């Protein structure tokens, strides 16, 4: 399981509909809204990790 970097929900990589590539890594999202927020400012969400 991956963790959505925006809302911290568990996301199954095998069935995730929303993904984004950033700096060579794939991130998985529970919904399009989380993906959009991440893509607007990825560093804001990755700092917390």
């Amino acid at each position: 399981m991956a963790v959505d970097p925006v809302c911290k929900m568990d996301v199954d990589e095998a069935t995730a509909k929303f993904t984004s590539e950033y700096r060579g890594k794939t991130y998985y999202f529970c919904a399009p809204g989380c993906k959009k927020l991440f893509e607007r400012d990825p560093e804001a969400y990755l700092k917390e990790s």
Side-chain angles (χ1 to χ4, degrees):
M1 285 287 210
V3 176
D4 182 322
V6 176
C7 69
K8 308 300 185 209
M9 280 184 60
D10 288 333
V11 181
D12 186 344
E13 297 98 325
T15 59
K17 293 181 181 177
F18 309 102
T19 64
S20 184
E21 294 272 335
Y22 181 67
R23 292 190 175 182
K25 183 174 177 185
T26 302
Y27 294 91
Y28 299 87
F29 304 93
C30 67
C34 284
K35 178 182 178 189
K36 186 184 286 187
L37 286 171
F38 177 82
E39 289 177 343
R40 204 175 288 160
D41 187 7
E43 289 298 324
Y45 298 101
L46 298 179
K47 280 187 230 170
E48 300 171 13
S49 299

